Amino acid sequence: MEEENQLIKQRIQKLNNLRQRGINPYPYSFDQKDHASDILNNFKKLKKNQKTKTNVSIAGRIMTLRILGKAGFGHVQDGSGKIQIYVREEIVGKEGYKTFSKSDLGDIIGVKGTVFCTKMGEVSIWVKKFELLSKSIRPLPEKWHGLKDTEIRYRKRYLDLIVNPDVKEVFIKRTKVINFIREYLNKKNFLEVETPILQPIYGGANARPFKTFLNNLNMDVYLRISNELYLKRLLVGGFERIYEFAKDFRNEGIDSTHNPEFTQIEIYQSYADFNDMMKLTEDIFIGASKMINGKTKINFRGENIDLKRPWKVMTMKDAIKKYVEINVDELSEKELIGILDKNKIEYKKGCSRGMATYLIFDKLVSEKIIQPTFITEHPVETTPLCKQSRKDPELVERFEPFIGGFEVANGYSELNDPIVQRKLLEEQAKQLKTGDEEANPMDDDFIEAIETGMPPTGGVGIGIDRMMMLLTGKESIKDVILFPFMKKF
């Protein structure tokens, strides 16, 4: 720390010297016309020592610097990559060269010059004009070892992006995936909409919310845990195909697949059911992988995974039977609870047969599912917003696709019977009052909406963060969120 403070003092002194020489270390603009990657690509066929008359103008951060008397080399990194520059005093003048030679790693500069190829075969810029654009006061991480500490990388993402180019590529891919999903849905006549983030009544998922207070109206409000109930109001209003990229907030644990603030897309299609939404989910994952990876095969946590269709479809009970050799139908409720106790799985008082089945799957089975698999026929207790199965009233028409050992989406044949929906939400509200912080509160306005009539609908929510973990091979959700939530120092 003392060494860093000393370097900062030295740089501030350089800053003061620049101002004394009449140089503004933070000018207002620069005429940037070119980028490093374009120059390198356009002139990759240049031969050693070959010069061109092509003028270029780039701006970026100094990443390497080597001063050799009255000439010097350096590498400038812009938004596209790095390129070498060559600066001579006789070309840029004494003042310009003095500014260059006194520069530090991390300074942002602008250069204008011509393209040439060095005797070592590196496409470079012969600088004709040099300008300091932003003096860096704080030094970059030590150049030979880079920034390896994950804690610092996540807290100081700006440094991570500067010194680890592959990190930036992950977030470029993230943007491309979101754009792909948007274009895919738009072509299928879905309409992108927006719903409230601040909500007087939260709902749409089993989760504990973040609570805040709206001073002007003197009322408690919540950050949304889901946008589902508002999107369904729009279905009632006549929108038939809608989607929303949503920031949702859940006051729950933080680990490799959970962040309290996360991004998902929820998609609803009138006159469809959960079978239609499974096909749509396959399309999105396959198309996104092909778009950024060029193929359906990915490697995640050392496992080779193929996203090509058709994905396997397996009931929750069959998955339990396959992966942990437990036949749920042959066991009593007491025996199922005994399995929870034996495996030290927490459960709430009055745990039902269906909920015990779900917990066995969630805690013992889900992490074993590596290849894309839709898990269907969930117990009716798992959600109050889904239609009963046409095969068994104890089950619901819900699917969750699992890939790489975790769930990446959640889809339903949406419940649109207002009588049943009211009853289920009233039961949830009772659970909330008795201390179940993840139960849904009663939302009378939502019930009134579907009493007006909501069409049969298929819906799915896809976790963008987890999707990007898979598609980019990153093991932690923190690697695909630019600013993951971190504990205070």
Side-chain angles (χ1 to χ4, degrees):
M1 182 62 72
E2 181 58 35
E3 182 181 356
E4 182 179 64
N5 290 338
Q6 188 61 36
L7 289 173
I8 291 172
K9 288 180 181 179
Q10 292 173 6
R11 292 192 177 203
I12 291 175
Q13 184 59 49
K14 287 184 179 182
L15 180 69
N16 294 332
N17 291 339
L18 286 166
R19 287 187 166 128
Q20 290 170 7
R21 290 167 53 203
I23 297 172
N24 180 2
Y26 304 104
Y28 291 88
S29 64
F30 179 79
D31 186 19
Q32 180 197 39
K33 294 181 178 178
D34 306 281
H35 282 89
S37 62
D38 294 331
I39 297 170
L40 294 174
N41 185 60
N42 293 339
F43 293 93
K44 60 186 176 183
K45 294 183 179 180
L46 282 183
K47 298 177 181 179
K48 293 180 180 180
N49 291 319
Q50 184 177 355
K51 297 181 180 179
T52 75
K53 294 183 179 180
T54 303
N55 292 303
V56 293
S57 173
I58 71 163
R61 190 181 299 275
I62 298 175
M63 299 303 291
T64 68
L65 192 60
R66 188 159 56 102
I67 305 299
L68 306 169
K70 295 185 178 183
F73 287 91
H75 281 89
V76 175
Q77 178 173 288
D78 62 17
S80 69
K82 284 192 294 190
I83 191 167
Q84 182 171 256
I85 61 171
Y86 176 59
V87 185
R88 293 184 65 90
E89 183 182 87
E90 62 181 297
I91 302 298
V92 300
K94 288 187 177 181
E95 285 300 304
Y97 188 74
K98 183 178 181 181
T99 302
F100 169 72
S101 65
K102 298 294 183 181
S103 296
D104 292 298
L105 299 185
D107 287 356
I108 298 175
I109 63 172
V111 299
K112 296 181 180 181
T114 54
V115 182
F116 78 107
C117 187
T118 67
K119 64 181 180 180
M120 300 300 291
E122 184 171 358
V123 175
S124 307
I125 299 173
W126 193 300
V127 177
K128 310 296 184 182
K129 184 179 179 181
F130 171 90
E131 184 176 355
L132 176 66
L133 302 180
S134 180
K135 181 63 186 171
S136 173
I137 300 302
R138 189 172 293 274
L140 296 178
E142 200 275 316
K143 65 179 181 179
W144 300 115
H145 297 99
L147 187 61
K148 304 297 184 183
D149 189 306
T150 54
E151 181 82 6
I152 297 176
R153 285 182 52 231
Y154 299 145
R155 290 184 184 278
K156 301 184 178 182
R157 184 67 85 184
Y158 51 92
L159 292 179
D160 193 24
L161 293 168
I162 291 170
V163 302
N164 296 321
D166 59 313
V167 171
K168 186 175 183 181
E169 186 61 29
V170 169
F171 293 102
I172 291 173
K173 288 181 177 180
R174 181 184 173 109
T175 296
K176 288 181 178 179
V177 165
I178 290 173
N179 288 342
F180 163 78
I181 297 173
R182 182 174 277 119
E183 291 170 7
Y184 168 84
L185 291 172
N186 289 347
K187 287 178 182 177
K188 288 186 170 291
N189 298 317
F190 283 84
L191 180 71
E192 185 171 9
V193 296
E194 293 180 337
T195 62
I197 293 175
L198 277 181
Q199 301 180 347
I201 301 174
Y202 63 91
N206 294 326
R208 183 166 53 184
F210 287 95
K211 182 178 179 180
T212 185
F213 189 78
L214 183 54
N215 292 325
N216 187 260
L217 298 180
N218 192 33
M219 63 184 288
D220 292 329
V221 291
Y222 304 88
L223 295 180
R224 70 180 171 203
I225 59 173
S226 170
N227 48 347
E228 178 170 343
L229 303 190
Y230 282 91
L231 290 172
K232 287 180 175 177
R233 287 170 168 90
L234 297 181
L235 297 172
V236 172
F239 289 107
E240 293 183 354
R241 296 184 176 209
I242 53 176
Y243 70 93
E244 180 180 18
F245 285 98
K247 282 287 187 184
D248 289 339
F249 307 84
R250 297 180 185 177
N251 200 349
E252 56 190 13
I254 300 175
D255 56 33
S256 64
T257 60
H258 292 87
N259 194 65
E261 175 185 356
F262 62 97
T263 302
Q264 70 165 334
I265 180 173
E266 290 213 12
I267 308 165
Y268 291 87
Q269 180 178 338
S270 296
Y271 314 112
D273 65 9
F274 80 132
N275 294 298
D276 299 296
M277 306 318 285
M278 283 194 279
K279 293 176 184 176
L280 184 144
T281 303
E282 280 182 329
D283 284 346
I284 288 175
F285 272 84
I286 291 169
S289 184
K290 286 181 177 179
M291 193 267 297
I292 64 169
N293 297 322
K295 56 186 178 180
T296 60
K297 293 181 179 179
I298 58 175
N299 186 279
F300 182 71
R301 294 179 177 172
E303 298 280 357
N304 292 318
I305 297 171
D306 198 338
L307 299 174
K308 70 179 180 182
R309 64 162 32 96
W311 292 5
K312 186 181 295 185
V313 179
M314 185 180 296
T315 69
M316 184 173 287
K317 289 180 181 179
D318 284 344
I320 294 172
K321 188 184 298 183
K322 175 180 178 179
Y323 288 100
V324 292
E325 299 181 345
I326 296 173
N327 190 331
V328 172
D329 289 331
E330 292 181 352
L331 300 178
S332 66
E333 184 174 296
K334 183 178 180 181
E335 288 172 321
L336 292 175
I337 296 297
I339 292 173
L340 299 182
D341 291 331
K342 179 181 177 181
N343 290 278
K344 299 180 180 180
I345 299 172
E346 292 186 12
Y347 57 91
K348 295 169 184 174
K349 185 178 180 180
C351 181
S352 66
R353 177 183 187 84
M355 188 54 67
T357 299
Y358 167 75
L359 289 172
I360 290 170
F361 170 81
D362 185 49
K363 302 301 182 181
L364 302 181
V365 177
S366 60
E367 66 181 11
K368 302 179 188 298
I369 303 175
I370 305 303
Q371 298 300 324
T373 304
F374 289 113
I375 297 298
T376 63
E377 296 191 9
H378 294 229
V380 70
E381 295 95 332
T382 61
T383 174
L385 299 165
C386 185
K387 279 189 172 179
Q388 285 184 339
S389 169
R390 281 164 271 195
K391 300 175 182 178
D392 185 341
E394 297 299 315
L395 305 173
V396 288
E397 289 200 349
R398 176 184 183 184
F399 70 86
E400 287 183 313
F402 284 79
I403 308 174
F406 55 78
E407 168 244 334
V408 295
N410 186 19
Y412 306 157
S413 293
E414 303 292 342
L415 179 58
N416 63 339
D417 181 333
I419 306 299
V420 175
Q421 185 66 89
R422 179 180 289 278
K423 179 183 177 182
L424 291 173
L425 284 185
E426 285 175 345
E427 290 175 356
Q428 286 279 308
K430 289 178 183 177
Q431 293 175 27
L432 185 64
K433 288 182 179 179
T434 58
D436 185 351
E437 294 179 309
E438 294 186 353
N440 284 244
M442 186 63 196
D443 189 338
D444 288 307
D445 181 74
F446 169 66
I447 297 298
E448 286 185 22
I450 63 172
E451 284 176 343
T452 306
M454 186 182 103
T457 298
V460 63
I462 299 174
I464 298 298
D465 307 315
R466 293 185 181 183
M467 182 183 189
M468 291 311 304
M469 286 175 62
L470 288 165
L471 296 183
T472 59
K474 299 300 178 183
E475 295 196 11
S476 172
I477 199 169
K478 290 183 172 67
D479 289 316
V480 296
I481 296 175
L482 276 169
F483 299 101
F485 196 86
M486 303 293 290
K487 184 178 179 181
K488 290 179 68 175
F489 279 123

